[in-house]
Amino acid sequence: MRNANHIQAEAMRFVNDSFNKDVQMLTRFGHCKAPEDFVNLQAELAATLMPDYMEEGAKMFALFSDASKAGLDDLAKSAN
């Protein structure tokens, strides 16, 4: 159960951070005056978000891995 709480807390943290970044970017999109400004901002957004999602994927993988190990350890203790 503790591992599930860690996973849920991390997911909620990431969603909250992503939402805040999205709102900031939408505000910046609203200030674009030329098409090239919009395209440049899209490129910046992609360059900013890709590392965030890669890092979050690695964190979630580690959390699920830890939860699986803990579950297997508990199962092994129960079997003995």
Side-chain angles (χ1 to χ4, degrees), residues 44-74:
E44 180 185 333
L45 178 61
T48 301
L49 291 181
M50 184 59 70
D52 288 351
Y53 278 90
M54 295 295 290
E55 182 181 328
E56 186 62 20
K59 283 182 185 178
M60 292 302 282
F61 181 79
L63 288 172
F64 277 108
S65 178
D66 291 346
S68 296
K69 288 176 187 174
L72 287 174
D73 288 346
D74 289 346

Side-chain angles (χ1 to χ4, degrees), residues 7-20:
I7 292 168
Q8 182 181 20
E10 178 58 29
M12 292 304 296
R13 184 207 58 79
F14 181 72
V15 167
N16 187 47
D17 286 352
S18 294
F19 179 76
N20 288 332

Side-chain angles (χ1 to χ4, degrees), residues 12-52:
M12 292 304 296
R13 184 207 58 79
F14 181 72
V15 167
N16 187 47
D17 286 352
S18 294
F19 179 76
N20 288 332
K21 286 181 181 182
D22 289 347
V23 169
Q24 291 171 359
M25 282 295 183
L26 286 173
T27 301
R28 291 179 63 195
F29 277 127
H31 294 343
C32 290
K33 298 196 181 341
E36 58 269 10
D37 295 339
F38 186 81
V39 171
N40 289 338
L41 190 53
Q42 280 183 317
E44 180 185 333
L45 178 61
T48 301
L49 291 181
M50 184 59 70
D52 288 351

